[in-house]
């Protein structure tokens, strides 16, 4: 991966291609660092809902129904305890990026100052209650790690692969910058985030994430009714009655810079600075029959559980509410 980070993509691709030819890998992009379970399908980085088990599909529907709760708890946590957000500790954030990659850890089983912490965070009681239900539902999902994942404008997560193909990422987009500026990319495939998106992916495939929020145009975009957008925005804030008469003058003031106008309004009234915010849930692959144990070093990004535990939300204890 260092060759990729240093811009030597062709050299890296030749190496990965040789590993596929030798039978060491199944796909040049799927390169789990520790565990490759060949009994699991290799369908690419993005997993379509039609290929998921009924338990995972039901979980996705439950999550979609609780978007307002997730958003409410994220906003309150971010407003009252912004210092709880952790910077990337794995060296994956591009050091040349102008933004940060941050995590509000909702559930992150790990040792902290020599003490095992396997509890769900007290700042997210509604989210934790739902996760506990989903995790304990027969035929559902086994939850390994959960956070509010924030990618600021100008930030980039460098290409990487997770340790095992026995895990999936379930991402719910709570906020995304306009103009499809927040992206996840795997090889030549690229997807942009929009609020409300729910995406399941296989992180054992190489992927990178970007927020190009500061690099997008300020001018009006074709097909966008900015007058109607302003009405909807002020209505959402309960300010439409006071602002309706001002909309024509606001549009005249910002003519030619309509996208910048929307960004500035959202920054002023909605504390929206162009971040990409996800509720990111790491789950065990539903088709993995017997998850293989990884080394302690490999567990650094997942939070390695004590050796005698089965892992997951239902078996850990802590001072906060147990999931």
């Amino acid at each position: 991966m260092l060759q990729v980070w240093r811009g030597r993509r062709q050299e890296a691709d030749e190496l990965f291609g040789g590993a596929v030819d030798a039978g060491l890998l199944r796909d040049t992009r799927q390169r789990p660092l520790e565990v490759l379970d060949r009994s699991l399908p290799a369908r690419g980085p993005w997993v379509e809902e039609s290929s998921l088990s009924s338990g995972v599909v039901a979980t996705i529907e439950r999550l979609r129904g609780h978007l307002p709760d997730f958003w409410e708890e994220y906003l309150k946590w971010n407003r009252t305890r912004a210092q709880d957000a952790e910077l990337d500790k794995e060296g994956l954030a591009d050091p040349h990026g102008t933004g940060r990659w941050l995590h509000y850890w909702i559930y992150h089983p790990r040792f902290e100052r020599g003490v095992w912490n396997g509890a769900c965070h007290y700042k997210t009681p509604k989210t934790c209650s739902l996760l506990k239900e989903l995790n304990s539902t027969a035929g559902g999902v086994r939850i390994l790690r959960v956070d509010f994942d924030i990618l600021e404008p100008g930030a980039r997560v460098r290409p990487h692969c997770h340790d095992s193909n026995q895990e999936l990422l379930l991402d719910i987009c709570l906020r995304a910058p306009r103009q499809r500026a927040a992206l996840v990319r795997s090889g030549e495939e690229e997807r942009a985030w929009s609020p409300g998106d729910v995406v399941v992916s296989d992180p054992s495939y190489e992927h990178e994430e970007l927020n190009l929020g500061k690099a997008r145009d300020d001018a009006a975009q074709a097909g966008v009714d900015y007058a109607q957008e302003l009405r909807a925005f002020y209505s959402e804030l309960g300010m439409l009655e006071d602002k309706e008469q001002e909309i024509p003058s606001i549009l005249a003031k910002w003519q030619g810079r309509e996208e910048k106008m929307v960004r500035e309004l959202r920054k002023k009234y909605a504390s929206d600075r162009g971040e990409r915010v996800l509720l990111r849930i790491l789950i065990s692959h539903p088709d993995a029959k017997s998850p293989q144990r990884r080394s302690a070093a490999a567990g650094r990004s997942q939070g390695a559980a004590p050796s005698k535990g089965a892992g997951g939300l239902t078996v850990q204890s802590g001072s906060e509410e147990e999931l």
Side-chain angles (χ1 to χ4, degrees), residues 189-264:
E189 297 183 70
E190 184 177 279
R191 296 194 180 188
W193 288 106
S194 296
D197 286 350
V198 180
V199 175
V200 181
S201 60
D202 181 342
S204 66
Y205 283 81
E206 181 185 311
H207 58 286
E208 63 178 312
E209 300 186 72
L210 309 93
N211 185 343
L212 306 173
K214 291 186 177 180
R216 296 296 182 170
D217 293 335
D218 291 339
Q221 300 296 297
V224 179
D225 184 339
Y226 288 95
Q228 182 57 36
E229 188 151 338
L230 286 178
R231 292 189 188 95
F233 178 70
Y234 286 129
S235 177
E236 181 181 331
L237 296 175
M239 301 170 58
L240 183 59
E241 185 175 344
D242 296 332
K243 291 288 188 178
E244 177 117 42
Q245 299 301 318
E246 299 179 30
I247 288 178
S249 62
I250 293 173
L251 290 172
K253 175 183 176 181
W254 290 92
Q255 186 174 5
R257 300 177 297 151
E258 287 83 357
E259 279 296 311
K260 184 174 182 179
M261 171 193 71
V262 175
R263 291 200 304 270
E264 291 299 319

Side-chain angles (χ1 to χ4, degrees), residues 10 29 38 48 74 121-122 137 139 165 219 238 254 260 284:
Q10 183 176 354
R29 288 183 296 169
R38 294 179 181 272
E48 301 302 325
Y74 164 71
H121 207 285
Y122 73 95
T137 301
N165 70 327
W254 290 92
K260 184 174 182 179
S284 290

Side-chain angles (χ1 to χ4, degrees), residues 93-101 151-156 211-215:
D94 188 341
H96 303 293
T98 56
R100 300 174 298 172
W101 183 28
L151 199 64
E152 294 180 339
R156 173 176 176 251
N211 185 343
L212 306 173
K214 291 186 177 180

Side-chain angles (χ1 to χ4, degrees), residues 116-170:
W116 177 254
N117 180 8
C120 200
H121 207 285
Y122 73 95
K123 283 285 188 180
T124 55
K126 294 179 182 178
T127 302
C128 287
S129 177
L130 175 64
L131 293 174
K132 182 177 180 180
E133 291 179 22
L134 296 174
N135 191 67
S136 61
T137 301
V141 298
R142 177 171 173 263
I143 297 171
L144 304 175
R145 188 183 70 191
V146 187
D147 73 311
F148 291 125
D149 188 290
I150 300 99
L151 199 64
E152 294 180 339
R156 173 176 176 251
V157 181
R158 295 186 286 189
H160 64 286
C161 304
H162 278 213
D163 297 327
S164 169
N165 70 327
Q166 296 183 323
E167 301 164 347
L168 296 176
L169 279 178
L170 205 167

Side-chain angles (χ1 to χ4, degrees), residues 33-49:
L33 301 178
E34 289 287 324
V35 175
L36 176 59
D37 185 343
R38 294 179 181 272
S39 71
L40 295 176
R43 299 192 178 105
W46 288 285
V47 183
E48 301 302 325
E49 284 192 30

Side-chain angles (χ1 to χ4, degrees), residues 52-197:
L52 294 169
S53 68
S54 58
V56 176
V57 172
T59 294
I60 291 172
E61 291 307 309
R62 290 284 304 279
L63 291 167
R64 283 194 174 112
H66 287 78
L67 283 171
D69 292 336
F70 305 147
W71 183 237
E72 174 191 346
E73 294 190 332
Y74 164 71
L75 285 179
K76 184 177 180 180
W77 196 353
N78 186 51
R79 184 177 65 251
T80 60
R81 290 280 301 180
Q83 65 268 33
D84 288 346
E86 291 188 13
L87 289 166
D88 164 52
K89 294 181 178 179
E90 300 176 34
L92 298 177
D94 188 341
H96 303 293
T98 56
R100 300 174 298 172
W101 183 28
L102 301 169
H103 309 273
Y104 285 97
W105 291 111
I106 297 171
Y107 175 68
H108 191 193
R110 55 182 170 171
F111 282 102
E112 295 179 328
R113 300 182 182 91
V115 178
W116 177 254
N117 180 8
C120 200
H121 207 285
Y122 73 95
K123 283 285 188 180
T124 55
K126 294 179 182 178
T127 302
C128 287
S129 177
L130 175 64
L131 293 174
K132 182 177 180 180
E133 291 179 22
L134 296 174
N135 191 67
S136 61
T137 301
V141 298
R142 177 171 173 263
I143 297 171
L144 304 175
R145 188 183 70 191
V146 187
D147 73 311
F148 291 125
D149 188 290
I150 300 99
L151 199 64
E152 294 180 339
R156 173 176 176 251
V157 181
R158 295 186 286 189
H160 64 286
C161 304
H162 278 213
D163 297 327
S164 169
N165 70 327
Q166 296 183 323
E167 301 164 347
L168 296 176
L169 279 178
L170 205 167
D171 290 328
I172 302 98
C173 185
L174 304 180
R175 170 179 278 174
R178 296 168 64 82
Q179 300 182 42
R180 299 171 58 83
L183 310 169
V184 58
R185 182 183 294 156
S186 180
E188 299 300 318
E189 297 183 70
E190 184 177 279
R191 296 194 180 188
W193 288 106
S194 296
D197 286 350

